[in-house]
Amino acid sequence: MTAKARGRGAARVGGAGEPTAIVLRSAREIGLLRDAGRAVAGVLDALERLVAPGITTADLDAAAENWIRAAGGVPTFKGYRGFPAAICVSVNDEVVHGIPGARRLQGGDLVSCDVGVTLGGYIGDGARTFALPPLDDEATRLLAATREALDAGIAAARPGARVGDVSAAVQAVVEAAGFSVVRQFCGHGVGTSMHEEPQVPNYGTPGRGPRLRPGMVVAIEPMVNVGRYDVRVDANGWTVRTADGSRSAHFEHTVALGPDGPAILTVP
Ligand code: MG
């Protein structure tokens, strides 16, 4: 799940009770975060097998919640600031935070699934966009650019670098592909709370922002729009969609910074 970018009136990443300073995690804690991340990857793999024309987004939510609980975890998003479901499912022009419901998927849909799992008190956060065939050329390029932007952001997340290096790496890939990165929502630290410091925007300036240090754990999550980067939030208070109606994609990994470089935690 993405964080609302700090701006006028939004002083910090998290909600009540979430930490206000960057927390460095021990090797033991990173092991626990890896367990949670592995569960996230398992859920996303299961969702990838399920996504097909005719299935509802509520079906995906129910399957994900069953999978999470069978793994001994808790769906982190459920009840988070009142979010009513276990996962977020955002289709086509929906960017993030879509609420699962009666919508039936159709051929050609782009389906972004965002999954959070709390396991033993530690949280994994990850997202993928699945495409239902037939896949047009624009959608193919959108998914490739978003995946590549995430990879570039992760590669830039090396100790000694700064958050702005990650942000700029993501932005460069997206804009070179002719798409735009969402600015109102961003990645974030993750640990025992879902949204911790620092914020990790998907656009920015190299050499700026907090210094990256071993033990930091961050969710890097480019949200990429075919058209303009502006988004709006539905009356339900959650669903974020592109202002211009263009399609959007979202890929996210939870990443731990080791002394030698980044390690992706949301993998099987
Ligand atoms: Mg997130």
Side-chain angles (χ1 to χ4, degrees), residues 1-3 77 114 125-126 186-188 194-195 219 221 250 252:
M1 185 179 270
T2 74
F77 302 168
D114 193 345
D125 191 5
C186 58
H188 50 91
M194 185 161 57
H195 293 147
E221 49 179 320
H250 180 214
E252 174 180 26

PDB file of all heavy atoms in Angstrom, residues 1-3 77 114 125-126 186-188 194-195 219 221 250 252, ligand 1:
ATOM      1  N   MET A   1       0.853  -1.192   0.000  1.00  0.00           N
ATOM      2  CA  MET A   1       0.000   0.000   0.000  1.00  0.00           C
ATOM      3  C   MET A   1       0.886   1.238   0.000  1.00  0.00           C
ATOM      4  O   MET A   1       1.907   1.245   0.666  1.00  0.00           O
ATOM      5  CB  MET A   1      -0.914  -0.020   1.224  1.00  0.00           C
ATOM      6  CG  MET A   1      -1.927   1.094   1.263  1.00  0.00           C
ATOM      7  SD  MET A   1      -3.000   1.008   2.723  1.00  0.00           S
ATOM      8  CE  MET A   1      -4.340  -0.009   2.137  1.00  0.00           C
ATOM      9  N   THR A   2       0.512   2.223  -0.761  1.00  0.00           N
ATOM     10  CA  THR A   2       1.357   3.410  -0.876  1.00  0.00           C
ATOM     11  C   THR A   2       1.060   4.395   0.244  1.00  0.00           C
ATOM     12  O   THR A   2       0.017   4.332   0.893  1.00  0.00           O
ATOM     13  CB  THR A   2       1.104   4.134  -2.207  1.00  0.00           C
ATOM     14  OG1 THR A   2      -0.148   4.794  -2.124  1.00  0.00           O
ATOM     15  CG2 THR A   2       1.084   3.173  -3.364  1.00  0.00           C
ATOM     16  N   ALA A   3       2.011   5.277   0.483  1.00  0.00           N
ATOM     17  CA  ALA A   3       1.818   6.352   1.453  1.00  0.00           C
ATOM     18  C   ALA A   3       1.418   7.618   0.712  1.00  0.00           C
ATOM     19  O   ALA A   3       1.801   7.826  -0.432  1.00  0.00           O
ATOM     20  CB  ALA A   3       3.106   6.590   2.229  1.00  0.00           C
ATOM     21  N   PHE A  77      -3.544  -4.763   5.517  1.00  0.00           N
ATOM     22  CA  PHE A  77      -4.360  -3.626   5.074  1.00  0.00           C
ATOM     23  C   PHE A  77      -5.751  -3.616   5.718  1.00  0.00           C
ATOM     24  O   PHE A  77      -6.370  -2.567   5.831  1.00  0.00           O
ATOM     25  CB  PHE A  77      -4.558  -3.643   3.552  1.00  0.00           C
ATOM     26  CG  PHE A  77      -3.300  -3.620   2.733  1.00  0.00           C
ATOM     27  CD1 PHE A  77      -3.345  -3.880   1.372  1.00  0.00           C
ATOM     28  CD2 PHE A  77      -2.059  -3.329   3.312  1.00  0.00           C
ATOM     29  CE1 PHE A  77      -2.191  -3.863   0.600  1.00  0.00           C
ATOM     30  CE2 PHE A  77      -0.900  -3.312   2.549  1.00  0.00           C
ATOM     31  CZ  PHE A  77      -0.967  -3.584   1.181  1.00  0.00           C
ATOM     32  N   ASP A 114      -2.216  -5.273  -4.703  1.00  0.00           N
ATOM     33  CA  ASP A 114      -1.277  -4.804  -3.680  1.00  0.00           C
ATOM     34  C   ASP A 114      -1.569  -5.604  -2.417  1.00  0.00           C
ATOM     35  O   ASP A 114      -2.721  -5.661  -1.964  1.00  0.00           O
ATOM     36  CB  ASP A 114      -1.500  -3.302  -3.466  1.00  0.00           C
ATOM     37  CG  ASP A 114      -0.390  -2.631  -2.671  1.00  0.00           C
ATOM     38  OD1 ASP A 114       0.423  -3.331  -2.041  1.00  0.00           O
ATOM     39  OD2 ASP A 114      -0.360  -1.385  -2.682  1.00  0.00           O
ATOM     40  N   ASP A 125       5.261  -5.893   2.105  1.00  0.00           N
ATOM     41  CA  ASP A 125       4.360  -5.082   1.279  1.00  0.00           C
ATOM     42  C   ASP A 125       4.834  -5.213  -0.165  1.00  0.00           C
ATOM     43  O   ASP A 125       5.994  -4.915  -0.463  1.00  0.00           O
ATOM     44  CB  ASP A 125       4.442  -3.628   1.769  1.00  0.00           C
ATOM     45  CG  ASP A 125       3.373  -2.719   1.178  1.00  0.00           C
ATOM     46  OD1 ASP A 125       2.489  -3.203   0.451  1.00  0.00           O
ATOM     47  OD2 ASP A 125       3.435  -1.504   1.475  1.00  0.00           O
ATOM     48  N   GLY A 126       3.938  -5.685  -1.042  1.00  0.00           N
ATOM     49  CA  GLY A 126       4.349  -5.859  -2.433  1.00  0.00           C
ATOM     50  C   GLY A 126       3.164  -5.774  -3.372  1.00  0.00           C
ATOM     51  O   GLY A 126       2.018  -5.991  -2.973  1.00  0.00           O
ATOM     52  N   CYS A 186       3.546   7.598  -2.621  1.00  0.00           N
ATOM     53  CA  CYS A 186       4.962   7.233  -2.698  1.00  0.00           C
ATOM     54  C   CYS A 186       5.250   5.971  -1.901  1.00  0.00           C
ATOM     55  O   CYS A 186       4.406   5.487  -1.141  1.00  0.00           O
ATOM     56  CB  CYS A 186       5.802   8.396  -2.164  1.00  0.00           C
ATOM     57  SG  CYS A 186       5.416   8.863  -0.480  1.00  0.00           S
ATOM     58  N   GLY A 187       6.464   5.468  -2.074  1.00  0.00           N
ATOM     59  CA  GLY A 187       6.944   4.366  -1.251  1.00  0.00           C
ATOM     60  C   GLY A 187       7.332   4.867   0.126  1.00  0.00           C
ATOM     61  O   GLY A 187       7.234   6.061   0.434  1.00  0.00           O
ATOM     62  N   HIS A 188       7.825   3.944   0.965  1.00  0.00           N
ATOM     63  CA  HIS A 188       7.924   4.247   2.397  1.00  0.00           C
ATOM     64  C   HIS A 188       8.770   3.200   3.111  1.00  0.00           C
ATOM     65  O   HIS A 188       8.894   2.067   2.634  1.00  0.00           O
ATOM     66  CB  HIS A 188       6.504   4.239   2.995  1.00  0.00           C
ATOM     67  CG  HIS A 188       5.734   2.994   2.615  1.00  0.00           C
ATOM     68  ND1 HIS A 188       5.734   1.850   3.389  1.00  0.00           N
ATOM     69  CD2 HIS A 188       5.009   2.680   1.499  1.00  0.00           C
ATOM     70  CE1 HIS A 188       5.017   0.915   2.774  1.00  0.00           C
ATOM     71  NE2 HIS A 188       4.556   1.381   1.619  1.00  0.00           N
ATOM     72  N   MET A 194       3.227  -0.279   8.832  1.00  0.00           N
ATOM     73  CA  MET A 194       3.226  -0.345   7.371  1.00  0.00           C
ATOM     74  C   MET A 194       3.884   0.879   6.753  1.00  0.00           C
ATOM     75  O   MET A 194       4.574   0.778   5.754  1.00  0.00           O
ATOM     76  CB  MET A 194       1.812  -0.493   6.832  1.00  0.00           C
ATOM     77  CG  MET A 194       1.824  -0.681   5.328  1.00  0.00           C
ATOM     78  SD  MET A 194       0.323  -1.368   4.718  1.00  0.00           S
ATOM     79  CE  MET A 194      -0.846  -0.168   5.309  1.00  0.00           C
ATOM     80  N   HIS A 195       3.632   2.042   7.319  1.00  0.00           N
ATOM     81  CA  HIS A 195       4.198   3.257   6.745  1.00  0.00           C
ATOM     82  C   HIS A 195       5.150   3.886   7.751  1.00  0.00           C
ATOM     83  O   HIS A 195       4.730   4.502   8.718  1.00  0.00           O
ATOM     84  CB  HIS A 195       3.091   4.242   6.353  1.00  0.00           C
ATOM     85  CG  HIS A 195       2.248   3.751   5.216  1.00  0.00           C
ATOM     86  ND1 HIS A 195       0.921   4.044   5.098  1.00  0.00           N
ATOM     87  CD2 HIS A 195       2.555   2.995   4.148  1.00  0.00           C
ATOM     88  CE1 HIS A 195       0.436   3.474   3.993  1.00  0.00           C
ATOM     89  NE2 HIS A 195       1.413   2.823   3.410  1.00  0.00           N
ATOM     90  N   ALA A 219       9.780   0.042   1.153  1.00  0.00           N
ATOM     91  CA  ALA A 219       8.936  -0.411   0.044  1.00  0.00           C
ATOM     92  C   ALA A 219       9.116   0.591  -1.084  1.00  0.00           C
ATOM     93  O   ALA A 219       8.853   1.783  -0.915  1.00  0.00           O
ATOM     94  CB  ALA A 219       7.476  -0.474   0.478  1.00  0.00           C
ATOM     95  N   GLU A 221       7.908   1.546  -4.835  1.00  0.00           N
ATOM     96  CA  GLU A 221       6.675   1.189  -5.545  1.00  0.00           C
ATOM     97  C   GLU A 221       6.259   2.226  -6.573  1.00  0.00           C
ATOM     98  O   GLU A 221       5.361   3.024  -6.339  1.00  0.00           O
ATOM     99  CB  GLU A 221       5.544   0.936  -4.546  1.00  0.00           C
ATOM    100  CG  GLU A 221       5.333   1.989  -3.482  1.00  0.00           C
ATOM    101  CD  GLU A 221       4.147   1.604  -2.591  1.00  0.00           C
ATOM    102  OE1 GLU A 221       3.141   1.109  -3.120  1.00  0.00           O
ATOM    103  OE2 GLU A 221       4.232   1.813  -1.373  1.00  0.00           O
ATOM    104  N   HIS A 250       1.424  -0.674 -11.413  1.00  0.00           N
ATOM    105  CA  HIS A 250       2.039  -0.551 -10.072  1.00  0.00           C
ATOM    106  C   HIS A 250       2.797  -1.828  -9.743  1.00  0.00           C
ATOM    107  O   HIS A 250       2.198  -2.908  -9.724  1.00  0.00           O
ATOM    108  CB  HIS A 250       0.905  -0.337  -9.056  1.00  0.00           C
ATOM    109  CG  HIS A 250       1.338  -0.187  -7.628  1.00  0.00           C
ATOM    110  ND1 HIS A 250       0.563  -0.656  -6.580  1.00  0.00           N
ATOM    111  CD2 HIS A 250       2.434   0.382  -7.070  1.00  0.00           C
ATOM    112  CE1 HIS A 250       1.164  -0.365  -5.435  1.00  0.00           C
ATOM    113  NE2 HIS A 250       2.302   0.251  -5.698  1.00  0.00           N
ATOM    114  N   GLU A 252       5.694  -3.264  -6.783  1.00  0.00           N
ATOM    115  CA  GLU A 252       6.280  -2.896  -5.488  1.00  0.00           C
ATOM    116  C   GLU A 252       7.038  -4.082  -4.904  1.00  0.00           C
ATOM    117  O   GLU A 252       6.555  -5.218  -4.940  1.00  0.00           O
ATOM    118  CB  GLU A 252       5.160  -2.502  -4.514  1.00  0.00           C
ATOM    119  CG  GLU A 252       5.640  -2.245  -3.082  1.00  0.00           C
ATOM    120  CD  GLU A 252       4.495  -1.849  -2.146  1.00  0.00           C
ATOM    121  OE1 GLU A 252       3.340  -2.228  -2.405  1.00  0.00           O
ATOM    122  OE2 GLU A 252       4.783  -1.158  -1.157  1.00  0.00           O
TER     123      GLU A 252
HETATM  124 MG    MG B   1       3.705   0.101   0.023  1.00  0.00          MG
END
